[in-house]
Amino acid sequence: QFETSASLLNLTGFADISSAAYSVDQTGSSSFKFFHDRPLCSYLPKDGGLYQWLMPQDPRTIDGNESETDESNQQQIYALDDAQFSLGGGSHTSLGLHAAFHDIDNESTRSSKEFVRSVGARLANHARGAARGPGVGGGARPSISPPESMAGPYLFLDWSASLRDVLPKRCATHPFALDCSPEVAAQAGTHLKHSLTGGLHLNGCFVDDRYDPTMGYDAHLVGEVAGPPGDVGFAKVRGGFAWHLPLELLGAMVSGAGDNEDGG
């Protein structure tokens, strides 16, 4: 197995993130992924209403109320601004482009090979690979990590168009016959998928520890709708929820309920 990746920061001067990765697995299937994220405000005119909403004026400078603040107070304000990514995003709201080229060898399981090429754009409350702070999710380094591995709540809307080629396995002794199930044979050929995907990943922001939680809850919800101009149409929703309670608390709750019953 071979993997390599490269990341570049601030190419355009707008705190953008660019990352690319290439890998080859044990079966010989290769994959290339690329994305470029930059703040949404960098695309907008500075006198526009949306820019002003994303980049509000410093309250200390409104109406000429510039006040002298010591360095410690300024550092505290900046630390609070960078402490976490809110669902609204603010100045962290990003608009990025992504592309992927990969092939999947399913001959051992489904008797087919797939070649997928896709491009898309994503609007999100913060750039991919970003972190809330040094103690949450690692350092603020770019990556092509999926949303569920990012730091802080991640809210996104994604448009994508992908071209998928399915090649069924041929019979070794009869080259014109297919060695696969009818379901796989029915999917043979080239298909274009045009879809919109939106979702929210809480990513452990309501638990006491993201990687070893004992108290709190976590959830994610993702929906996708595909349709014209693609030749594939569907709608699907997937999600999950987890509620973490320490065994000591559960034991106290059960024993408390038992004591109340005995007292009644």
Side-chain angles (χ1 to χ4, degrees):
Q1 183 171 348
F2 172 78
E3 295 183 4
T4 182
S5 63
S7 301
L8 299 173
L9 301 176
N10 204 27
L11 287 177
T12 63
F14 291 103
D16 56 283
I17 299 174
S18 301
S19 184
Y22 176 76
S23 64
V24 180
D25 65 13
Q26 296 89 338
T27 64
S29 298
S30 61
S31 173
F32 173 78
K33 297 180 180 179
F34 169 81
F35 82 80
H36 174 77
D37 278 355
R38 58 188 289 184
L40 177 61
C41 57
S42 65
Y43 297 96
L44 306 173
K46 292 185 177 180
D47 56 351
L50 182 56
Y51 182 92
Q52 298 296 330
W53 178 73
L54 292 171
M55 298 286 291
Q57 185 177 356
D58 190 332
R60 295 170 295 178
T61 63
I62 297 177
D63 297 330
N65 292 330
E66 287 123 348
S67 59
E68 295 292 333
T69 58
D70 57 29
E71 185 178 355
S72 62
N73 289 337
Q74 292 183 4
Q75 291 177 352
Q76 183 179 7
I77 292 174
Y78 297 149
L80 291 175
D81 290 341
D82 295 333
Q84 63 182 9
F85 295 106
S86 63
L87 292 180
S91 60
H92 294 289
T93 302
S94 67
L95 178 61
L97 304 174
H98 57 85
F101 306 88
H102 59 92
D103 55 272
I104 306 172
D105 188 355
N106 293 321
E107 289 193 357
S108 60
T109 56
R110 299 183 59 203
S111 301
S112 67
K113 285 186 177 181
E114 297 181 11
F115 299 89
V116 181
R117 290 88 73 194
S118 66
V119 295
R122 174 171 293 190
L123 178 67
N125 64 325
H126 66 79
R128 282 167 280 197
R132 288 187 296 178
V136 183
R141 56 184 181 274
S143 70
I144 52 175
S145 303
E148 57 268 19
S149 65
M150 298 178 189
Y154 187 68
L155 179 66
F156 72 95
L157 178 65
D158 190 285
W159 167 84
S160 66
S162 62
L163 201 61
R164 176 183 177 224
D165 291 329
V166 179
L167 302 178
K169 184 179 180 180
R170 297 285 182 176
C171 182
T173 57
H174 300 81
F176 299 100
L178 297 180
D179 186 12
C180 64
S181 65
E183 290 77 10
V184 174
Q187 299 179 19
T190 302
H191 303 278
L192 173 64
K193 185 181 78 169
H194 176 263
S195 66
L196 282 175
T197 306
L200 170 64
H201 294 260
L202 295 181
N203 288 337
C205 62
F206 293 108
V207 297
D208 54 351
D209 187 281
R210 181 181 180 188
Y211 298 104
D212 189 17
T214 58
M215 177 71 75
Y217 63 91
D218 195 12
H220 71 275
L221 181 66
V222 178
E224 182 180 7
V225 178
D231 54 7
V232 176
F234 62 85
K236 63 180 180 180
V237 178
R238 58 182 175 86
F241 178 82
W243 185 22
H244 304 276
L245 284 175
L247 294 178
E248 293 83 355
L249 180 59
L250 288 177
M253 294 171 60
V254 172
S255 61
D259 294 340
N260 291 335
E261 291 179 0
D262 295 338

